[in-house]
Amino acid sequence: MSTLTFASVDDRAAGGKALRQRIPRSSQGGWRPLPDRRDPVEVLEEQAADRVPELVPIRYGRMLGSPFAFFRGAAALMAQDLAATPHSGLVVQLCGDAHLSNFGSFAAPDRRLVFSINDFDETLPGPFEWDVKRLAASFAVAGRDRGFSAKQRGAIIVSAVSAYRTTMRELAGKRRLDVWYARANIDKIEEEAASRIAPDEVKRMRRNIAKARAKDSVRAYSKMVEVVDGHPRLASRPPLVVPLRDLFPDIEQHRLEAAVDAILRSYRRSLQSAHRHLLGGFRFVETARKVGGVGSVGTRAWIVLMVGNDLFDPLFLQLKEAQPSVLERHLPRSAARNHGQRVVEGQRLMQPASDVLLGWVRSNGMDGATRDYYVRQLWDGKGSAMVDVMSAGSMVAYAEICGATLARAHARSGDAAEIGGYLGSGDKFDRALADFAEAYADQNEHDHAALRAAVDAGRVAAALA
């Protein structure tokens, strides 16, 4: 029998440290656009080409709201910019859009609320720095939006990156199963935050958590369904919620229902057998197109109402179109045959616990085009931090939570010892990314202004909704 050999934590950390000779941590700081950097509006319009035309102006209208709103919708722009920056070559499963508003709560299978990344539309393997830089830049942009001083923003950004670095180094010495199961429970976060932030912010945080706990299919039913002649119907609120019956009034109802039924049957095959059994206990009622978010506006997203034992036992699913990741222009293409599968498998790789009904499907639309979708529960304890009312002190605490969360997500697929070795025990990487984040926030403001100029000139149309 051959003897098993292992590279020790120290050896792997030394390998990461050696990478500093080729890519110094200080080189990760600052930002300067390349001379041939693409026009930001051109990049956004390229994305719009395969989106629902009447919804694209809503996307632009939302992005115009503020530089931070623009940043949320500009993952493709930042992907091209990150591709031009130095990186260590240490690869993890990337979120691809790791800004501060793409973290939040959701209900784990044991029904406890956990905190993690909650958006994986752009997920793909790539350099760990790309996610950390997008997270850092999002705090710089959001801090400006809140009117924080440069010193306050610097403290916030350094807190996020430092938490990432120290958590990664802590994870390097843990067993693989411990890394895999590591997660942040909302109860623990609430307890720790209560000792760090002002009493009024504690009350607001607790109200927000209570609101997240109440977000489930029963709550969605009370908000989105109207009963007509004893039958539940999804309420029409165009252009944000439009039932399928209204989108295609010339097609017989039974044909629409048959098309949706075929999609659901195909989706079921992506689930584990126990979860297929669970889904089999629900019957389809109706579906509608629903617009949400910022960056994804214009992609096709549907909600599906199903019922179990009776009308008081609802289930809401969301089918969201999965297009190629914005990272694929700059990294190797996904090995997944279906972009919905890419999203789901990336999510399962990065999250400590995932929705039991998470799955994917490929479908032929009413227009004859074939598209990929991923499927999840619409409301299942989902909540997000109230960034627009955070004080600087609260944002420091939130930045630490996000940074540590991102490190745990990356450590599930990457080598924590090697990454931790590169990052080191000092704050050189933290300070470099703080410089990058502020410089990139300047770029984001220029790009936001470019979109405003394009709307003012009539080059693109924007609408509020």
Side-chain angles (χ1 to χ4, degrees):
M1 180 181 294
S2 60
T3 302
L4 295 175
T5 59
F6 302 91
S8 70
V9 171
D10 289 343
D11 287 343
R12 286 151 46 214
K17 183 176 181 179
L19 293 173
R20 301 180 200 166
Q21 301 300 315
R22 180 173 56 84
I23 305 293
R25 291 166 295 175
S26 58
S27 70
Q28 305 263 16
W31 158 254
R32 187 184 300 273
L34 295 176
D36 60 349
R37 183 178 188 262
R38 294 180 68 197
D39 170 33
V41 179
E42 177 185 313
V43 174
L44 296 176
E45 282 288 87
E46 184 177 89
Q47 282 190 296
D50 194 34
R51 300 196 178 200
V52 180
E54 63 266 29
L55 299 182
V56 172
I58 297 176
R59 183 191 188 207
Y60 291 147
R62 292 183 176 182
M63 290 179 72
L64 283 175
S66 69
F68 181 58
F70 179 90
F71 185 87
R72 290 181 59 184
L77 280 172
M78 193 165 188
Q80 72 165 11
D81 294 334
L82 289 171
T85 62
H87 64 80
S88 63
L90 298 175
V91 172
V92 299
Q93 184 73 28
L94 294 174
C95 162
D97 192 14
H99 65 72
L100 63 93
S101 290
N102 274 345
F103 291 72
S105 70
F106 58 90
D110 63 7
R111 312 321 294 149
R112 296 181 67 184
L113 281 191
V114 298
F115 182 90
S116 188
I117 305 168
N118 59 14
D119 188 301
F120 299 89
D121 288 21
E122 313 301 347
T123 187
L124 203 69
F128 81 91
E129 295 97 330
W130 288 15
D131 270 354
V132 187
K133 286 181 175 179
R134 183 147 175 83
L135 179 62
S138 74
F139 278 109
V141 175
R144 293 183 183 196
D145 197 55
R146 293 287 298 124
F148 299 153
S149 68
K151 183 177 180 180
Q152 289 172 318
R153 296 195 304 270
I156 293 166
I157 299 162
V158 166
S159 293
V161 183
S162 175
Y164 178 91
R165 176 176 52 81
T166 56
T167 302
M168 187 66 74
R169 289 174 63 83
E170 290 169 3
L171 293 170
K174 293 186 178 294
R175 297 182 304 168
R176 295 190 69 86
L177 282 176
D178 291 337
V179 172
W180 191 260
Y181 290 125
R183 74 185 201 183
N185 291 315
I186 288 293
D187 290 343
K188 182 67 172 176
I189 291 175
E190 180 182 356
E191 177 185 336
E192 293 178 351
S195 64
R196 298 186 57 184
I197 61 178
D200 60 325
E201 292 188 293
V202 172
K203 291 180 181 179
R204 185 161 54 233
M205 175 188 67
R206 287 175 173 162
R207 286 196 300 268
N208 197 34
I209 291 172
K211 181 180 177 182
R213 291 188 195 283
K215 289 187 73 172
D216 58 14
S217 286
V218 174
R219 181 71 170 167
Y221 188 92
S222 69
K223 293 284 188 180
M224 300 181 186
V225 173
E226 57 188 13
V227 178
V228 179
D229 297 328
H231 299 285
R233 289 163 59 100
L234 290 168
S236 181
R237 299 186 180 94
L240 301 185
V241 180
V242 183
L244 196 64
R245 63 177 184 270
D246 294 341
L247 282 175
F248 301 101
D250 297 330
I251 300 179
E252 296 89 343
Q253 185 66 22
H254 71 89
R255 287 184 57 200
L256 294 176
E257 291 179 359
V260 175
D261 183 66
I263 292 170
L264 292 175
R265 282 188 282 107
S266 180
Y267 149 65
R268 285 184 62 194
R269 291 196 287 270
S270 71
L271 300 176
Q272 295 179 7
S273 59
H275 301 152
R276 288 199 297 271
H277 179 80
L278 169 64
L279 186 66
F282 291 88
R283 290 177 292 168
F284 168 72
V285 177
E286 195 173 28
T287 187
R289 187 180 72 190
K290 185 176 186 301
V291 177
V294 179
S296 60
V297 175
T299 57
R300 292 145 189 91
W302 307 89
I303 55 172
V304 176
L305 170 62
M306 307 180 76
V307 292
N309 296 324
D310 51 37
L311 296 183
F312 302 99
D313 183 21
L315 170 66
F316 271 91
L317 296 177
Q318 180 187 45
L319 283 76
K320 193 172 180 185
E321 183 181 4
Q323 297 184 336
S325 167
V326 296
L327 303 180
E328 289 197 17
R329 181 186 288 268
H330 317 287
L331 294 171
R333 295 181 61 183
S334 171
R337 292 174 295 179
N338 178 308
H339 283 292
Q341 180 182 5
R342 170 184 60 78
V343 172
V344 169
E345 292 185 347
Q347 179 168 344
R348 288 174 177 166
L349 190 52
M350 297 189 75
Q351 276 188 339
S354 296
D355 184 352
V356 297
L357 295 180
L358 189 64
W360 66 86
V361 66
R362 175 166 288 163
S363 168
N364 291 321
M366 294 296 177
D367 59 358
T370 300
R371 298 184 175 89
D372 294 340
Y373 294 85
Y374 63 93
V375 187
R376 60 187 180 184
Q377 293 183 65
L378 177 66
W379 283 1
D380 192 29
K382 294 180 176 67
S384 57
M386 301 172 70
V387 178
D388 57 336
V389 295
M390 277 187 183
S391 67
S394 290
M395 195 170 283
V396 166
Y398 182 64
E400 291 176 4
I401 296 168
C402 290
T405 298
L406 183 60
R408 285 191 290 269
H410 282 177
R412 290 165 62 89
S413 60
D415 188 328
E418 199 170 13
I419 296 172
Y422 176 78
L423 295 174
S425 59
D427 65 354
K428 184 169 287 188
F429 184 78
D430 313 352
R431 290 185 283 107
L433 259 65
D435 290 341
F436 168 84
E438 283 294 324
Y440 199 82
D442 290 340
Q443 181 65 63
N444 181 73
E445 290 177 0
H446 293 315
D447 293 344
H448 177 250
L451 178 60
R452 168 62 67 188
V455 171
D456 291 345
R459 178 179 169 189
V460 297
L464 296 178

